[in-house]
């Protein structure tokens, strides 16, 4: 009985390590800051972070077609915010919070031919996810990226689809 419980705990723990995605399948694009296009900077919905978003050429070239093409990658740098003396986020003139330290880098990749070991329950449509530390090493987390993106098929599962469209037009 103890070995069964131990096995369940080990299995559950291994799932949670990469619950925010799977870095074995969605790789960190080391040169994204120079090879991808910066298309948006925005406050995150949680009100505690700022996101800077980059798209690879496949994403920018196919954005006008309703869905991004196979091989599209979106990278989101996630920054902590700088609080003012009152503890509230300090905003620039355009309402974007002032960036503090880089907290994480989230990567979305779209593929129609995912390895069978990367199940559909870990994806939103054809999009896979992974979260990395600022240095590009996989970040342990308990987020379930796909869960938040799954309800958004009309925007190809992207929170920033409208801003990407606006940028490429």
């Amino acid at each position: 009985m103890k070995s069964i419980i131990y096995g369940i705990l080990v299995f559950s723990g291994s799932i949670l390590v990469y619950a925010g995605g799977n870095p074995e399948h969605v790789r960190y694009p080391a040169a994204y800051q120079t090879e991808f296009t910066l298309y948006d900077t925005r406050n995150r919905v949680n009100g505690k972070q700022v996101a800077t978003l980059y798209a690879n050429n496949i994403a920018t070239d196919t954005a006008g077609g309703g869905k991004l093409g196979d091989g599209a990658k979106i990278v989101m740098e996630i920054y902590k915010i700088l609080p003012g003396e009152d503890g509230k986020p300090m905003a620039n003139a355009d309402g974007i919070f002032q960036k503090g330290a880089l907290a994480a880098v989230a990567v979305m990749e779209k593929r129609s031919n995912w390895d069978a070991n990367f199940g559909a329950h870990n994806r939103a449509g054809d999009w896979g996810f992974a979260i990395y530390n600022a240095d590009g090493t996989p970040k342990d987390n308990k987020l379930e990226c796909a869960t938040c993106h799954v309800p958004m098929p009309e925007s190809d599962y992207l929170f920033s689809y409208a801003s990407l469209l606006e940028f490429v037009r």
Side-chain angles (χ1 to χ4, degrees):
M1 183 65 166
K2 283 184 183 180
S3 62
I4 292 172
I5 293 171
Y6 178 74
I8 291 170
L9 289 173
V10 169
F11 178 73
S12 298
S14 67
I15 289 173
L16 289 176
V17 169
Y18 294 128
N22 192 323
E24 293 175 19
H25 295 283
V26 180
R27 306 252 192 262
Y28 179 79
Y32 73 88
Q33 290 179 322
T34 56
E35 294 178 2
F36 289 23
T37 301
L38 176 102
Y39 71 93
D40 195 10
T41 298
R42 60 175 54 197
N43 297 333
R44 292 201 65 206
V45 176
N46 67 13
K48 299 176 182 179
Q49 298 168 321
V50 175
T52 300
L53 297 149
Y54 296 83
N56 70 356
N57 288 342
I58 295 170
T60 57
D61 291 348
T62 61
K67 296 207 181 273
L68 296 161
D70 207 41
K73 281 192 178 187
I74 303 293
V75 174
M76 178 175 60
E77 293 176 334
I78 303 167
Y79 291 88
K80 296 178 183 179
I81 57 165
L82 291 177
E85 290 180 17
D86 60 359
K88 294 181 181 174
M90 292 191 304
N92 298 327
D94 57 2
I96 304 296
F97 299 144
Q98 292 184 17
K99 293 178 189 175
L102 180 61
V105 178
V107 181
M108 291 178 66
E109 182 174 351
K110 187 173 189 180
R111 282 201 252 154
S112 58
N113 63 344
W114 288 106
D115 183 296
N117 294 325
F118 189 41
H121 64 282
N122 292 316
R123 302 189 310 266
D126 287 338
W127 289 97
F129 306 86
I131 299 179
Y132 294 88
N133 293 303
D135 66 1
T137 59
K139 183 175 182 73
D140 291 345
N141 65 82
K142 293 184 173 136
L143 296 174
E144 294 186 18
C145 300
T147 302
C148 288
H149 289 264
V150 163
M152 305 176 65
E154 70 285 347
S155 61
D156 200 15
Y157 304 98
L158 297 170
F159 285 93
S160 64
Y161 190 73
S163 62
L164 179 60
L165 280 177
E166 184 179 322
F167 177 83
V168 298
R169 288 184 182 150

